[in-house]
Amino acid sequence: YAGEAYLVINEDSLFNKKVLKLKSNLKTNKFVDFFYKIRDEITVYMNYNDFSLLRVINKIREGKYIKVC
């Protein structure tokens, strides 16, 4: 395998409201890191009732590219 990916779904609160929190992690293994290292973490907060997006947090590290927003 080239790496690992996880998706975790939990209930959480945001601005004192009940929300769904989806957290995704992606990580390449040490062999692939030698060629192109990936460490991505994406967190999404969704309305518990209608699944509309409330907030998205991206922490992207792919090769030399880094973006946090």
Side-chain angles (χ1 to χ4, degrees), residues 34-54:
F34 180 76
F35 301 102
Y36 194 76
K37 185 176 182 177
I38 296 176
R39 299 288 186 274
D40 292 350
E41 181 180 309
I42 300 171
T43 305
V44 177
Y45 293 92
M46 299 170 53
N47 183 300
Y48 193 82
N49 298 317
D50 63 6
F51 304 112
S52 60
L53 291 177
L54 300 173

Side-chain angles (χ1 to χ4, degrees), residues 16-67:
N16 296 322
K17 293 183 181 179
K18 188 176 177 181
V19 297
L20 287 176
K21 178 181 176 182
L22 285 73
K23 188 168 188 176
S24 169
N25 288 308
L26 179 68
K27 177 182 175 181
T28 52
N29 65 27
K30 290 182 181 182
F31 177 75
V32 177
D33 283 350
F34 180 76
F35 301 102
Y36 194 76
K37 185 176 182 177
I38 296 176
R39 299 288 186 274
D40 292 350
E41 181 180 309
I42 300 171
T43 305
V44 177
Y45 293 92
M46 299 170 53
N47 183 300
Y48 193 82
N49 298 317
D50 63 6
F51 304 112
S52 60
L53 291 177
L54 300 173
R55 186 173 193 183
V56 178
I57 302 169
N58 293 316
K59 296 179 182 176
I60 308 295
R61 289 181 56 206
E62 297 180 0
K64 294 182 181 180
Y65 178 79
I66 297 175
K67 181 175 182 182

